[in-house]
Amino acid sequence: GYGGPGWVRVLGRVLLTRLRRRPRRRPEKLRGWRTFATLPVQHAPVVIEAGGRRHEARADRSGFIDLVLDTELAPGWQSVRLSSPGAEPVDAPVRIVDPELRIGVVSDIDDTVMVTALPRPLLAAWNTFVLDEHARMAVPGMAVLYERLVNAHPGAPVLYLSTGAWNVAPTLTRFLSRHLYPAGPLLLTNWGPTADRWFRSGRDHKRATLERLVREFPEIRWLLIGDDGQHDQEIYAEFAADHPDNVAAVLIRRLSPTQAVLAGGFPAPVETGDAGTPAAGLLGERWLCAPDGAGLWRLLREANLV
């Protein structure tokens, strides 16, 4: 949310926790499947304390809380407290955006900051459910790129937009911290069926989230970062066409031929891959493609965007 008097959006999940205390021990390595072994508490009453005010809410059938609060918090990282009957209160970090800021970063996660090969079902299942979380690899140079972006635009929020389920939020948070990515809110989706399909549409989730960012932060121009292995180019192109004043630039990490095949696609020649991008003509020099973070930073410098 914006700093000062106004509102803040709280999005979280209530999970059933074990009450028995265990002795402190060294952190164990977690297999991916364990992140999905959580039991949401449906319709649980929750009290949220923010800026000296108390707000009552109730989780939905999936254990989620998504609401706007009228409160007053200073820009930067703040904390709100959530409590529910029968559970210990928890403090949740909240990023408050300075109303004077005009630049923000929206980043994809899969194959943009973390190597996942998500569209290949068997490989993605192995990476997600079997591998130890410490085995996940970071995309070369992207953490340095993001650090340079936040240094070039002090206070700029970094939001991580992914089709991943909320169950993996703790794993993603540890991964981003371990690989020195800037801290930022995770914009994930629910795991499970909807009214008309077995699983939620990742593309619809990304489109809806970008539209929500425009409504809630109309003055911010976003640096949209993704890769060419899934649908980021298509989604960002549509968003740029609908909201050209809210897009500072689009940065696309170009997968290698091997990575493109693992991601479920086919490698495109550099000469036609970039020129054929739907929004290349619309954004001109603000549509940038490179294989890694160092290349994207160089293109940003050459285009005088930083």
Side-chain angles (χ1 to χ4, degrees), residues 217-274:
F217 304 100
E219 303 298 326
I220 289 184
R221 301 172 68 232
W222 298 98
L223 287 164
L224 305 176
I225 307 178
D227 63 86
D228 62 0
Q230 297 185 55
H231 304 284
D232 292 339
Q233 295 187 103
E234 173 189 344
I235 295 170
Y236 291 165
E238 293 174 356
F239 181 76
D242 293 338
H243 306 282
D245 295 336
N246 295 102
V247 178
V250 173
L251 283 62
I252 298 296
R253 184 227 167 190
R254 188 191 303 117
L255 302 184
S256 69
T258 301
Q259 292 169 336
V261 171
L262 289 176
F266 296 94
V270 174
E271 294 79 9
T272 60
D274 298 344

Side-chain angles (χ1 to χ4, degrees), residues 28-33 126-137 171 178:
E28 60 178 328
K29 295 183 178 181
L30 298 178
R31 298 290 179 183
W33 66 268
W126 178 268
N127 290 339
T128 301
F129 294 104
V130 180
L131 285 183
D132 179 88
E133 66 176 41
H134 291 79
R136 308 303 290 273
M137 296 184 298
T171 298
R178 188 162 59 247

Side-chain angles (χ1 to χ4, degrees), residues 144-217:
V144 175
L145 169 66
Y146 289 25
E147 180 184 7
R148 289 174 172 175
L149 287 175
V150 297
N151 288 336
H153 304 283
V158 180
L159 285 66
Y160 297 94
L161 174 58
S162 173
T163 59
W166 281 109
N167 305 66
V168 300
T171 298
L172 291 178
T173 299
R174 291 190 293 268
F175 174 89
L176 295 171
S177 175
R178 188 162 59 247
H179 293 279
L180 305 181
Y181 283 97
L186 298 175
L187 305 178
L188 307 177
T189 187
N190 195 3
W191 174 270
T194 64
D196 58 350
R197 63 179 68 197
W198 283 105
F199 295 100
R200 283 168 169 75
S201 169
R203 279 179 284 183
D204 290 347
H205 163 66
K206 287 190 173 183
R207 291 188 180 104
T209 302
L210 291 173
E211 291 292 335
R212 193 181 87 183
L213 291 177
V214 171
R215 293 194 303 269
E216 298 182 355
F217 304 100

Side-chain angles (χ1 to χ4, degrees), residues 96-109:
I96 305 300
V97 179
D98 191 324
E100 302 300 320
L101 283 175
R102 294 296 179 264
I103 289 291
V105 177
V106 174
S107 170
D108 178 46
I109 293 179

